[in-house]
Amino acid sequence: QSALTQPASVSGSPGQSITISCTGTSSDVGGYNYVSWYQQHPGKAPKLMIYDVSKRPSGVSNRFSGSKSGNTASLTISGLQAEDEADYYCSSHTSSSTLVFGGGTKLTVL
Amino acid sequence: EVQLVESGGGLVQPGGSLRLSCEASGFTFSSYWMTWVRQAPGKGLEWVANINQDGSEKYYVDSVKGRFTISRDNAKNSLYLQMNSLRAEDTAVYYCAKEGSGSYHIDYWGPGTLVTVSS
């Protein structure tokens, strides 16, 4: 049950696009189309942004998109806005019927 | 509106026990898997345990197996986490969470309750 691997930090200027990667194994990310992404602002509970690799819940901006290739999933945020500055976590279903999270990525909007 | 409200957190000595509760409303509680996720101070999210709709299936992260027990009472729309033999590394905010339908993700989170294990 090792955590998925995410970059510790990414940054971008308003209006730009950024991508956050999430690398696992064939027992989690690569084995299932059950990758999800969460946004967490300081002191707040996480919020679901993407599920099933690329699906957006109602109310989430279409600036957020997800994809997957092999054992690596990605979250792309286009048209960066100041309010996007937050921590982002990926998660995946595993072959052990558990969930595993990534270590988290701090997004800074310059 | 889906609401999840945790309670039961607090300060406990190493080796002690604590029972967290989560009261759910705004959805048909008995129809969904439920989950506990924790976050140590300044650290990332860690999935702790989940339970299926009727409580017959339960899964745990290795670090809490044999010490924590997840349960639910569908008549009371409530989820529980019994935590025994607590260790300093169990110190965290514990979130109650609802899983999405037909998939493996969390679509709603409670505000969390802080558990501090310290002497």
Side-chain angles (χ1 to χ4, degrees):
Chain A
Q1 292 176 327
S2 298
L4 306 177
T5 301
Q6 298 181 232
S9 64
V10 298
S11 63
S13 298
Q16 288 186 329
S17 294
I18 64 95
T19 297
I20 300 172
S21 62
C22 170
T23 300
T25 69
S26 57
S27 296
D28 38 63
V29 174
Y32 307 92
N33 288 323
Y34 292 129
V35 175
S36 50
W37 290 90
Y38 304 88
Q39 176 192 66
Q40 187 180 35
H41 287 110
K44 300 295 186 181
K47 174 186 175 184
L48 177 66
M49 305 303 285
I50 296 287
Y51 68 99
D52 293 356
V53 176
S54 60
K55 297 178 181 177
R56 260 189 324 273
S58 174
V60 171
S61 171
N62 59 9
R63 298 186 297 106
F64 292 82
S65 61
S67 62
K68 190 187 85 167
S69 177
N71 295 338
T72 298
S74 298
L75 172 71
T76 297
I77 308 174
S78 59
L80 267 180
Q81 298 180 1
E83 68 212 47
D84 300 331
E85 186 163 294
D87 293 328
Y88 290 85
Y89 295 89
C90 63
S91 176
S92 175
H93 178 67
T94 79
S95 58
S96 302
S97 296
T98 63
L99 273 175
V100 62
F101 284 97
T105 298
K106 182 177 180 60
L107 169 61
T108 300
V109 180
L110 301 170
Chain B
E1 178 192 5
V2 171
Q3 289 198 356
L4 301 166
V5 180
E6 304 92 340
S7 61
L11 175 63
V12 60
Q13 292 188 338
S17 298
L18 213 55
R19 188 195 196 206
L20 304 184
S21 299
C22 171
E23 188 171 332
S25 61
F27 65 102
T28 305
F29 181 74
S30 59
S31 296
Y32 294 92
W33 283 73
M34 295 296 293
T35 291
W36 287 99
V37 175
R38 66 184 179 183
Q39 186 169 33
K43 302 297 185 182
L45 301 173
E46 181 182 37
W47 177 86
V48 174
N50 67 354
I51 185 169
N52 73 338
Q53 290 89 337
D54 65 5
S56 60
E57 290 185 59
K58 305 174 185 181
Y59 298 94
Y60 300 91
V61 67
D62 286 347
S63 58
V64 308
K65 282 181 182 175
R67 300 189 299 125
F68 289 13
T69 302
I70 189 172
S71 63
R72 65 191 296 161
D73 185 336
N74 288 339
K76 295 182 178 180
N77 288 345
S78 293
L79 176 71
Y80 307 101
L81 186 67
Q82 178 66 44
M83 304 185 294
N84 299 330
S85 303
L86 282 162
R87 307 166 180 166
E89 53 264 36
D90 296 319
T91 294
V93 172
Y94 284 73
Y95 294 103
C96 167
K98 169 187 170 294
E99 294 193 19
S101 177
S103 181
Y104 299 98
H105 64 273
I106 293 169
D107 56 3
Y108 290 95
W109 301 69
T113 187
L114 176 62
V115 172
T116 303
V117 184
S118 175
S119 55

